[in-house]
Amino acid sequence: MKLCFKSKQGKLGFGYAFIIISLNIILIRISLEMINWNKNFYNALEKYDMQAVIKQLLVFIMLTFFGAITYLIIEYLRKTLVITWRKVLNDTIINHWLNHKAYWFINNNQANIDNPDQRISEDCLLFIERLTNEGFSFITQFIGLFSYFMLLWQITDNFVLEFSLFNIDISISHYLIWLAPIYVILTSYVAHKLGSPLKNLIIQQQHLEANYRFVLTRFREAKESIALLEGEQVEQQQFDQHFDSIVKNWYKLIKRQFILGCFTRPYYLTVLSIPTFFSLPIYLIGKVSLGSLMQISKSFSNVVTNLSWFIFNYNKLAELIACSYRLSQFIQQSEKVSYQFKQLNQVENGDECLLLENLIINKPDGKILLKLPDLHINKGESVVLSGASGIGKSTLFKIISGLYPYYDGVVKVPKFKKLFLSQNAYFPMGGLAHAVSYPEPLFEKDLTVIKQLLLDVGFSSENIDKNLLNDNLNTLSGGEKQRLVIARILMHKPDWIFMDETTNALDKVAEKQLLKLLQTNLPTSSFIIISHSDISNYFNKCYQLNLS
């Protein structure tokens, strides 16, 4: 809740919350009037007073009308509050996920955080839903409990339960007042013992469902490769394995819910009748009228119902606790890993050069991956890095970018504008123009420049016009995607460009043309290129460095 105090939108939500609680208090008042109505209505029936019966029916209609209107307003405001606070929580989670590249470090630190997309999209909504629904319900029930207690105390002021036990005379004044909490405490304890395993089962179910969605999404994204390899049978086995895990946990969950329901459902069906049975002795001995009996019964029922809030909401409370645990764990781990890696990160800001001294790249387990010779590259100079696959070339780029802390030595990076391009080109949702402008947002004023750049790197006018703003980049070939990457470099004109095999899908002629295009348009930029080919002759002041 403290997150909501930190934003204007969150504070507005507390205004909604205040109105909702105030309206719930009005509902309590209407409920108290309904209790009084029970007394007056049944007394009129007992006396066969038709005029009084008709009057009480009109009162009932009026109370029902105002009660329904108040409830509908409460629900409208509560749902408005849900989306208001959900946005605050969503923004907070997203910020923690993105700040200091926590999304990267969590994934590469084996942190116990699975499916962050589910935590952001589903857990945030479910948490706010449960918080506003069960939270306001608890506040209302707590306030109403005192009101019903006071009313029950007043109307049972003269009721004394007298009996003998082991030859001892016992007299209990207001016995219904004491009977209600004793009854509910005992039943709540039973409900908790039966339902306590639900929390872990719900967390596990959410985890398994998210994993299954991830496998399906991964299949959809890789459908072309799977189709070419005819890997449907293996994919089917993976689907079956994940879904079987869901089924197994689902049966455990519904078994536990069934066990809990064997107690809570009969309790729910009898909770409104039990008070009448407890109050019946007073009526049978002639101390109260039928109307007073119904008033007492209704008051006692409301007390018991309010005290039974924990029993009725046990499943939803378990969901709330599970969501709260997952979200708090996500925030804590995001802060933890980003802080740890920030502390471990030894990259220093240099002036105009890239400097590597005594650099030893280690694996996360401490084993040495690669030892590099000292490297000093001034602005305007370039180098092509080559070597066997898996030797650590891509890891070197991660070190320079600050994403990999497992190394010894000195790394000083230039302070000028840098652009890192990985082996697997990433494009945001959108068309060709969005892909070229990334990682900057697309502005309409840049469209003319982007069109020309796309022509320069080899896209046809027809293709550009068709896909400039349409989200249809999945149909591009590997070579076309790498042409987009070259266009992106030309668009942003960085001083330092780090390219990890970003031209390996092009034929030699196209590769030569595009690298020459880069050199011509960015003559003062430095290129650090990982490539298995000798392309150093395409750049000025460039040499080939073989890592071994």
Side-chain angles (χ1 to χ4, degrees):
M1 295 297 291
K2 66 180 180 181
L3 296 176
C4 296
F5 283 107
K6 297 180 180 180
S7 68
K8 181 178 179 181
Q9 192 174 24
K11 292 176 182 177
L12 176 63
F14 282 101
Y16 290 133
F18 176 79
I19 297 173
I20 291 170
I21 293 173
S22 300
L23 291 175
N24 274 316
I25 293 175
I26 293 176
L27 276 184
I28 293 173
R29 179 61 187 173
I30 293 174
S31 178
L32 291 172
E33 291 298 326
M34 287 294 287
I35 292 174
N36 291 327
W37 175 87
N38 270 273
K39 176 183 178 181
N40 297 330
F41 178 73
Y42 284 101
N43 278 339
L45 285 180
E46 190 176 32
K47 297 176 181 178
Y48 299 98
D49 187 343
M50 185 58 63
Q51 185 176 359
V53 169
I54 294 174
K55 178 183 177 181
Q56 291 305 314
L57 287 176
L58 293 175
V59 172
F60 177 80
I61 293 172
M62 182 182 67
L63 291 174
T64 302
F65 173 78
F66 284 111
I69 291 295
T70 304
Y71 173 81
L72 291 174
I73 294 173
I74 288 172
E75 275 300 290
Y76 181 85
L77 291 176
R78 189 189 68 80
K79 291 175 181 177
T80 302
L81 176 60
V82 166
I83 198 63
T84 300
W85 275 352
R86 182 188 177 186
K87 185 178 188 315
V88 174
L89 182 58
N90 177 81
D91 292 348
T92 301
I93 296 289
I94 289 289
N95 287 337
H96 278 85
W97 196 35
L98 297 182
N99 282 350
H100 305 299
K101 293 183 170 54
Y103 62 91
W104 164 265
F105 296 133
I106 284 177
N107 184 60
N108 289 274
N109 194 38
Q110 289 81 47
N112 189 27
I113 298 296
D114 61 293
N115 306 297
D117 53 321
Q118 183 211 15
R119 298 181 189 235
I120 295 171
S121 63
E122 294 185 12
D123 286 354
C124 286
L125 173 59
L126 187 57
F127 175 77
I128 298 298
E129 279 277 5
R130 292 288 172 260
L131 181 66
T132 56
N133 205 333
E134 277 61 56
F136 290 145
S137 172
F138 175 77
I139 294 172
T140 303
Q141 298 289 337
F142 186 76
I143 295 172
L145 184 62
F146 283 98
S147 302
Y148 300 137
F149 255 124
M150 291 175 61
L151 179 61
L152 188 60
W153 184 277
Q154 292 173 0
I155 60 182
T156 61
D157 193 46
N158 298 321
F159 299 157
V160 179
L161 180 63
E162 298 177 341
F163 60 93
S164 296
L165 183 64
F166 303 116
N167 296 323
I168 300 175
D169 293 331
I170 298 175
S171 177
I172 303 176
S173 178
H174 301 282
Y175 77 92
L176 290 176
I177 296 292
W178 315 119
L179 188 59
I182 293 173
Y183 174 67
V184 174
I185 288 173
L186 292 175
T187 51
S188 297
Y189 174 77
V190 175
H192 176 65
K193 294 298 290 184
L194 293 176
S196 56
L198 277 176
K199 173 196 165 185
N200 291 332
L201 288 173
I202 291 173
I203 291 176
Q204 181 67 4
Q205 192 68 25
Q206 291 173 333
H207 168 77
L208 295 172
E209 294 281 3
N211 284 347
Y212 186 50
R213 282 194 301 273
F214 175 77
V215 172
L216 293 173
T217 302
R218 189 168 177 269
F219 173 83
R220 175 170 54 84
E221 293 175 346
K223 57 182 178 294
E224 181 178 347
S225 299
I226 295 170
L228 290 172
L229 292 169
E230 297 185 351
E232 293 83 2
Q233 183 176 356
V234 174
E235 297 298 325
Q236 177 71 56
Q237 291 175 353
Q238 292 185 358
F239 294 159
D240 291 344
Q241 288 174 1
H242 281 83
F243 195 75
D244 287 346
S245 298
I246 289 175
V247 171
K248 290 177 182 178
N249 194 75
W250 181 265
Y251 278 117
K252 292 179 183 178
L253 181 61
I254 62 174
K255 179 182 178 182
R256 178 52 54 179
Q257 289 174 334
F258 178 80
I259 292 172
L260 178 63
C262 288
F263 174 77
T264 57
R265 189 58 187 173
Y267 181 89
Y268 176 79
L269 293 174
T270 60
V271 70
L272 297 180
S273 301
I274 291 295
T276 303
F277 300 150
F278 286 158
S279 308
L280 198 58
I282 304 172
Y283 176 74
L284 294 177
I285 62 177
K287 285 192 174 183
V288 296
S289 63
L290 178 61
S292 295
L293 173 66
M294 300 309 297
Q295 182 190 31
I296 293 169
S297 176
K298 185 66 175 177
S299 299
F300 190 84
S301 296
N302 283 352
V303 170
V304 172
T305 302
N306 282 27
L307 286 172
S308 303
W309 179 87
F310 175 77
I311 298 175
F312 295 150
N313 293 278
Y314 198 95
N315 275 321
K316 294 178 180 179
L317 288 175
E319 289 182 352
L320 176 61
I321 293 172
C323 285
S324 177
Y325 172 77
R326 285 171 60 84
L327 290 173
S328 62
Q329 183 193 38
F330 182 48
I331 293 176
Q332 291 169 5
Q333 286 293 330
S334 297
E335 293 175 342
K336 179 180 178 181
V337 297
S338 60
Y339 175 78
Q340 287 177 341
F341 276 79
K342 188 177 180 182
Q343 293 298 107
L344 289 170
N345 201 320
Q346 305 168 28
V347 173
E348 304 175 22
N349 288 322
D351 294 322
E352 297 185 1
C353 66
L354 173 66
L355 179 63
L356 308 177
E357 291 182 347
N358 303 317
L359 185 62
I360 300 175
I361 303 176
N362 303 310
K363 296 180 180 180
D365 60 7
K367 295 180 180 179
I368 295 177
L369 179 63
L370 176 66
K371 293 183 179 180
L372 268 76
D374 292 350
L375 185 63
H376 185 280
I377 305 174
N378 293 313
K379 187 175 183 297
E381 297 178 344
S382 302
V383 63
V384 177
L385 303 175
S386 60
S389 298
I391 197 173
K393 303 185 298 297
S394 299
T395 305
L396 174 60
F397 276 16
K398 294 175 185 176
I399 290 175
I400 296 173
S401 65
L403 295 179
Y404 193 84
Y406 305 112
Y407 68 90
D408 297 308
V410 176
V411 178
K412 290 187 178 182
V413 298
K415 61 183 179 181
F416 296 102
K417 184 177 181 181
K418 296 177 286 293
L419 185 64
F420 289 86
L421 303 164
S422 65
Q423 293 181 19
N424 301 315
Y426 171 76
F427 304 113
M429 295 181 66
L432 297 173
H434 295 87
V436 173
S437 66
Y438 192 83
E440 299 292 335
L442 175 63
F443 297 103
E444 187 175 356
K445 63 182 178 63
D446 296 327
L447 290 177
T448 302
V449 175
I450 291 175
K451 286 181 181 179
Q452 184 58 50
L453 291 176
L454 290 170
L455 287 171
D456 292 342
V457 298
F459 281 89
S460 66
S461 298
E462 181 183 357
N463 194 352
I464 294 171
D465 293 336
K466 181 180 179 181
N467 296 315
L468 185 67
L469 298 175
N470 294 327
D471 187 9
N472 192 30
L473 301 185
N474 291 330
T475 60
L476 296 180
S477 66
E480 287 175 319
K481 290 179 180 179
Q482 292 191 343
R483 291 177 187 273
L484 269 181
V485 171
I486 301 300
R488 179 182 294 173
I489 298 172
L490 295 171
M491 177 69 184
H492 294 293
K493 298 180 173 62
D495 299 296
W496 291 80
I497 302 104
F498 297 83
M499 303 168 62
D500 189 354
E501 299 188 30
T502 49
T503 59
N504 62 344
L506 297 166
D507 60 76
K508 292 300 179 182
V509 174
E511 182 181 47
K512 179 179 179 180
Q513 291 175 345
L514 292 175
L515 291 177
K516 278 295 185 182
L517 181 66
L518 288 176
Q519 175 63 47
T520 302
N521 286 271
L522 304 172
T524 62
S525 296
S526 293
F527 293 85
I528 315 299
I529 303 174
I530 294 175
S531 176
H532 292 284
S533 304
D534 186 357
I535 56 175
S536 58
N537 59 328
Y538 299 148
F539 299 93
N540 297 327
K541 300 180 182 179
C542 184
Y543 62 93
Q544 186 92 11
L545 177 61
N546 185 52
L547 302 179
S548 59

